[in-house]
Amino acid sequence: MEATLPTKKEHPRWRELKFTLYRIFRNPSAILGFSLLLFFLGVAVAAPHLAPPKFEHAPYQMPHKGYSPTPKPPSAANIFGTSSGQYDIYYGIVWGARTAFKIGLFVVGFAGIIGISLGVIAGYFGGWFDELLMRFVDIVWSIPLLVLAMTIVVAFGRGLENIMLALALVEWRWYVRVIRSEVIKLRGQEFVEAAKLMGVSDIKIIFRHILPNSIYPVLIMASMDMGSMVISASFMSFVGLGAPKGYADWGQMVALARNYIVGPPDDPLKFWYTIFFPGISIILFVLAWNLIGDALRDAFDPKLRRR
Amino acid sequence: MTAYIIRRLLFLIFVLFGVSVLIFGLLMTFSPERRAAVYVTTPQQAKDIPKLVKQYGLNDPVPIQYARWVKEVASGNLGWSLVAARPVAKAFWSYFPTTLELNLLASPLVIIVGIWLGTLAGVHRDTWIDHGTRIGAIVGWSLPTFLFALVLLMIFYGYYGLFPPGIISSDTSLWVINNPDKFTRYTGMYTIDGILNGHLWVTWDALNHLVLPVLTQVIVVVALLMRVMRSGMLEELSRDYVITAKAKGADAHTINIKHARKNALIPVITVAGQLVALSMEGSIAVEVVFSRQGMGWWLAHSATQLDMPVLMSVCMFIGVVFVLSNLIIDIMYAYIDPRIQLQ
Amino acid sequence: MRKLVMLLLAFSLLLAACGEKPEMKKKAEKTPATETKTAAQVGSNDKFILESYGTLRTLDPACGYDSVSHMRIMNIYEPLIFFDGSATDKFIPVLATEVPSLENGGISDGGKTYTFKIRKGVKFHKGGELTAEDVAYSIKRHMVVDQEGGPMWMMLEALVGVPSTRKDGKIREGVFEKIDKAVEVKGDEVVMHLPKPFPPFLAVLAYSYGGIIMDKEWCVENGCWDGTVENAAKYNNPAFGSEPLHKIENGTAPYYMLKWEPSVEFIFERFDDYWGPKPAIKTGIVRYNQEWSSRKLALQNGDADRVLVDPQYLAEVENMPGVTIHPVPQLSVTGAIFCQKINPEANPNIGSGKLDGKGIPVDFFSDIHVRKAFLHAFDRKTYAKDVWNDQVVMPTSPNAKGLPYYKQVPVYEFDLEKAAEEMKQAFGGQIWEKGFKMVITHNTGNDQREAAAHMLAENIMSLNPKFNIEVRNMDWKDYVVAYRKYQFPMFIIGWGADFPDPDNFMFTFMSSDGVYGKFSAYKNEEVDRLCKEGRFEVDPAKRKDIYERLQDIWYEDAVGCMVYQKVDHFTYRDNVKGFVPHPMLDHEWESLKLLSK
Amino acid sequence: MAKLLETKNLVTNFYTYEGSVKALDNVSISIDHGETFGLVGESGCGKSVTVRSVMRIIQSPGVIEGGEVLYCDDAEHPEQCEDLLIKSEEAMRELRGDRISMIFQEPNAALNPVLTIGEQVAESYMFHRQRSMSRQILADVESGKISFGIFSPLLKWAYRRASENPRAPALRLMSKLPLLKLWGRPMRREAVNRSVGIIERLGISNAAELVTRYPHNLSGGMKQRIVIAIALACNPTLLIADEATSNLDVTIQAQILELLQDLKERRAISSVLLITHDLGVVAETCDRVGVMYAGILCEVADVKTLFNNPVHPYTRALLNSVPRFCVEGELATIEGSVPNLVHPPAGCRFHPRCKAASDICKQEKPKLVDLGNGHSVACHHIDEKIGE
């Protein structure tokens, strides 16, 4: 008890962080989320050792023996079985973990950086830039994420890279809105006004006062997005805009397995492995991020935290 | 109030203009030949591509093409839909009722279930009800819609032969066509038309096809509502007026329902726009999996055929629906929260 | 609520896993609809349901140029003659009373005049009786319309001698007069004059691509060409979708269109005033269903009498009880064609564009050793076995099996050592030394072409670690544009017969004027000459020599790698009888009047 | 005088992340019938927690750990006291707002923003006065003042039942059924009428119009009156005013205090428990005063004794920190700050700030010692102080 007690020497922000971490890890769902995440992270990092690629220059290309469209059940050679086209599902799952992180990190990173920088500038300085940006956001806002992203993918061409790009090009609007409203709330507060009166430069105010206090909702959103973007990408694959067959992407693997969801009449679950392994990977991956996001929300929400 | 609505409608025009420019810009990333190829379906036809470019003026400067497009749209010609094999405007009227039907059935369920479960979880904070609903919401949130829909289809239709996909059984559909005097398609929605025409078995048949789509749609959308409702309830239950009510001698039911829930509904309304967007997105997957020919289905298939005119029109249409629904949400907001005045 | 759902899910999964599959009843028997309905439910023995995913483009016989439109049009309208059973060169009369031939004098003037006797007592769906005038009008009207991207080039080529009514976007001088004069009414007969003999003419007429007969008055009433030469230009090349007969019909066939809800369903209903025998099926429904799982379930549950099965799913229905499968080899071949002069401009497919190991030179495939190496790397046996389950014809040249003058030419057998040998000789050994990098692109969604691309790429890469081939995919519409810009080092593409004649294939694939010949930049004077001669040669013996020589050249020059000749599998419920296979009619095809249950 | 309310060794803790906050440590106070009792202390010393514990409206994570809250409604029979802490929640509900009611310090937060004033005030009647309202409606119907037309028999029957037992199962069922649930309408109307009455009694002229408004339309003083109206609606025996006037202008403050005094004189309420940190208010209105510090009760005395002869060092310090007109010189402050109640100081909780603290203060908790005349003090050094 004594150890967790805040003492006066600690920096308040550090103390705050400790408290937050305590809150997060008091939550069993967060622990579950982080362990799942660590697992996937481990798989992604160790991918070249877990499943050595056949061609060095194309590691995401799943190896296959033969071309038969009928999936084969798990065996010693293919422990998760093979999908249509005889692609090794195990290989796809392992390298797909990298793809999933790639999708999440790229989309969230890109959207986050654009959204945060534009949102902070617009919210802090206001004026014509704010007006212009927000009208543009209004326009983009009037089309749901998937619809707009689909349109962009269609325009740029199919493929995972374009899906990622499209999602990022749509998702930034969230970050702008959230951070801008936080910044506007903070802008009017005494400590910012005081800093301004003391002649602190705008940049310094933004980095010292505004960002640290407005970043939490963004963090929560980012962690949720890490998962939901993988779902969105898999949805695009499902619609038929995704990576080519044989690319190690869970979403595409599920989407392509949909034709094998029902087996022959005498054995309806014959091809269970084609949908089960990639499906469960997506669900667990997204679940991990959502559990973390949920725990973060509980921990950061100023209205709920002190109780 | 009127002034507010008029302003919002003006805003709608602005948004439509913006969306059209945006989408048109995207369309122009295609080469003229590529856009002409939209009219081509067999290898044999490919040789006519350069002629098609000329015929449809696809090589003209972009502003001219845009102006031409606006002129066409103003005269009601939204382009040609390959998937629907008819003009976009006409196709719209045959697809829209299907989506509307789905959401007309799903939305009340979403609202009732979401608010009910969210309230329940908020009231019984940290009990098994709360944990159960929360975990349920997170898991529901983590499920790809199409996967869930496919599994439902596999189980119910694949194994039990229940709840077939599609909009209506072919027998019923055939009967409807053969008896135009007995069955008028007033709304284009079989459930409602069945009631209007007094043929309840048509409604029953249509509902039979709607069970799984509605179930999927509800589960996809309800998670968000539930979560917002729960945190709203938690927040409201910690407010002073709750203690006031308690000190008045109010029972738990009155406090939860009359006092806290009404206040907790306010943040729910702020995410209502998001719910509408979610429903639209959900409709895409649901309609594709259950082969219901609605807006979402149309959109998805147009996307795979890279049919830009349709994507453009659908985006514009969705923009209209979205802005209008936000307007309605704002009005509802003002109704629920007396502190808000629309100006 | 959620708990309940989860519980239900878990429960049903459990049940399913235990294999306690409840008895599956036909849905039609369960709906309360059956109790109430009487009109449509006279027993479903006269109803036929087909589930497929082809999109119907148009019902206008002058504009439809795809197999889906063809199927709908051919069940509603009738041509003068039609193929006799499965034959491609024998015909039966339909709206004509006999098939013109040299023997009966129907073909005269050295193959330049065709005379058709028109059947009497034929009624159109919307009233009116067939006359010779209707026939002549119909043939001319289709040519007058000649929509861009439409099928009318065949009829124009045969009857007018030019492939289009337009040149450079403008109408050809006097073309409508020529059209008008080409078809003539003589009492009960219609006479067609050809500028040159056109051997496949009867086959063209038997198809819906120009041979469909309509009611003149009805057409004019509905905004079609009024029959005058002066006004013809107004009706030429209508914009996409604004063709007047786009969604209405008035044919003579035993079925009329009851309903067309695009991408939902198309319903045929029996026409009671049909001139011929009354068909067994009263109602034919084509339901649109893109999800294979769902189509399969429909077939399995008996909710559909026939579903469209893509080759990769064939294994799943092969052992399904109550299902009959008819394999039908098609006059349709797919090949990987080498482009001998690639367009280097902003081309991502050839790397650096130089012979430096980081790309390929633009004339990479002009070296026959490279072409032969690729041909040696294609494992035809494995391909047929794995991809097609051996349910395929492996063609040796573009002249598909089943076409006249078919000849089995030798092939470059699968041998990686020989392939390596060839590669070592290519470009004076430089290729082998420096290696190369390129992209093979196939069109999205075609699993068979995708497999071929991967097979070629992986086998070539296994020759030498310096060889690097990436496989990409591209949407069909982009693909069409890109190969026409000489962007692909190699394109994998198919060709289906417009008419059953080697000309349609050998010209397309090999002539420098043919679609694929042109865009592969392959030029061989002898080939061009032979192609031209073969088209108009009337003497079968001479034609045989010409086309056999062409097939030999295909092997000698290693022009391209033939991948497969399509075999479509028509998959019916057992109780459906009467299907007649035809190599010109692919799996979108169905002739309702022949079926019974 | 007879006791109305007595707390005995009340202990309330809050369980938070940093540990359990010992908010109340054996607090014992008593209030007589007809008395105005003041509870003073710095903010955070446990005044509000005390009264909320009394009413059992402590919110989580707060828990009442022990002690007794004796409530003696009948002044004639002081032996018939009941312990509120062991009563059922339902019985407590009956009591709250009816016998004991409370005025809250923050009128902005205390009113529900989405309900009209009328609805909020009327709730008190709906909870506690259904019988009498039913009787009145029946009487009005009999005398012909109101009429229900053809529904008269049904409604009359309903109100007759309601006047006997407003929670009768039949009525509860009726309230759940569509259309039939409208039977409660006249009652609600009556409740709103009564609300108008009580608001008018508080000296607001346009009460009839006011009840249709929402809280955000009202000024702070007005809202505070509404909060008071809610508390007074059922003429409670004990009115707890939790910093009822702290956030208001001085003039409005005076008005409201006058109002309370007036109500007491008119016997609308019997006793008042006034919580405040304003000693001036205490001096003016209270009969007896309790001083709290960090969750303990330091000193209780009648108002004169406390002001003239404070014994506890904290009380003295508190009194010294109040500006007075007649005394010149600097204001005295209390050194140090309020202790962290997760780890309250051992012994006397005031000892770290007490100038007179000795070793015993650091080790042993002082007990509340009665000095006579109802003056009790919790300090180890009483003897030294009394003389001063």
Side-chain angles (χ1 to χ4, degrees), chain C residues 37-79:
Chain C
K37 267 186 301 178
T38 42
Q41 197 72 25
V42 199
S44 53
N45 272 349
D46 57 355
K47 202 168 74 191
F48 176 80
I49 298 175
L50 161 64
E51 289 205 352
S52 85
Y53 58 80
T55 315
L56 172 54
R57 198 182 83 53
T58 181
L59 284 179
D60 192 324
C63 304
Y65 193 15
D66 54 280
S67 50
V68 183
S69 305
H70 176 70
M71 179 264 179
R72 308 292 192 275
I73 292 170
M74 289 299 276
N75 276 292
I76 294 171
Y77 292 97
E78 285 174 315

Side-chain angles (χ1 to χ4, degrees), chain A residues 112-248:
Chain A
I113 288 168
I114 294 200
I116 290 172
S117 44
L118 288 180
V120 167
I121 294 171
Y124 185 76
F125 296 104
W128 62 266
F129 178 75
D130 184 33
E131 190 63 27
L132 210 67
L133 182 74
M134 290 330 280
R135 291 296 78 75
F136 183 65
V137 170
D138 278 340
I139 291 171
V140 186
W141 201 267
S142 66
I143 310 173
L145 168 85
L146 285 178
V147 177
L148 189 53
M150 263 163 65
T151 313
I152 295 177
V153 174
V154 168
F156 290 178
R158 283 170 220 258
L160 201 62
E161 285 78 21
N162 286 338
I163 288 180
M164 279 155 55
L165 193 64
L167 287 173
L169 284 179
V170 181
E171 191 62 9
W172 65 273
R173 57 191 190 176
W174 265 109
Y175 291 85
V176 168
R177 277 216 169 170
V178 168
I179 197 122
R180 179 178 167 272
S181 70
E182 290 291 316
V183 170
I184 286 181
K185 248 187 267 165
L186 288 171
R187 191 176 64 180
Q189 287 197 351
E190 283 86 354
F191 68 96
V192 178
E193 295 286 330
K196 266 191 191 166
L197 284 177
M198 282 159 66
V200 181
S201 74
D202 285 334
I203 304 270
K204 221 169 180 182
I205 292 179
I206 288 175
F207 279 100
R208 292 283 299 273
H209 298 291
I210 303 268
L211 266 182
N213 286 302
S214 56
I215 203 75
Y216 291 129
V218 175
L219 278 183
I220 296 165
M221 205 164 66
S223 78
M224 298 286 218
D225 267 1
M226 286 290 293
S228 69
M229 285 303 121
V230 173
I231 287 197
S232 297
S234 77
F235 174 78
M236 306 263 238
S237 296
F238 171 75
V239 170
L241 300 173
K245 197 160 92 180
Y247 191 88

Side-chain angles (χ1 to χ4, degrees), chain D residues 288-326:
Chain D
R288 289 201 315 134
V289 188
V291 179
M292 284 190 73
Y293 175 76
I296 49 171
L297 189 68
C298 313
E299 189 164 5
V300 184
D302 64 72
V303 71
K304 274 193 195 127
T305 316
L306 191 93
F307 276 86
N308 295 336
N309 192 10
V311 172
H312 198 281
Y314 176 69
T315 316
R316 290 181 174 196
L318 199 65
L319 289 174
N320 278 336
S321 67
V322 176
R324 292 177 211 186
F325 278 115
C326 47

Side-chain angles (χ1 to χ4, degrees), chain A residues 276-292:
Chain A
F276 175 78
F277 291 112
I280 202 79
S281 303
I282 292 197
I283 292 174
L284 289 182
F285 185 81
V286 179
L287 189 66
W289 284 107
N290 277 344
L291 287 172
I292 292 169

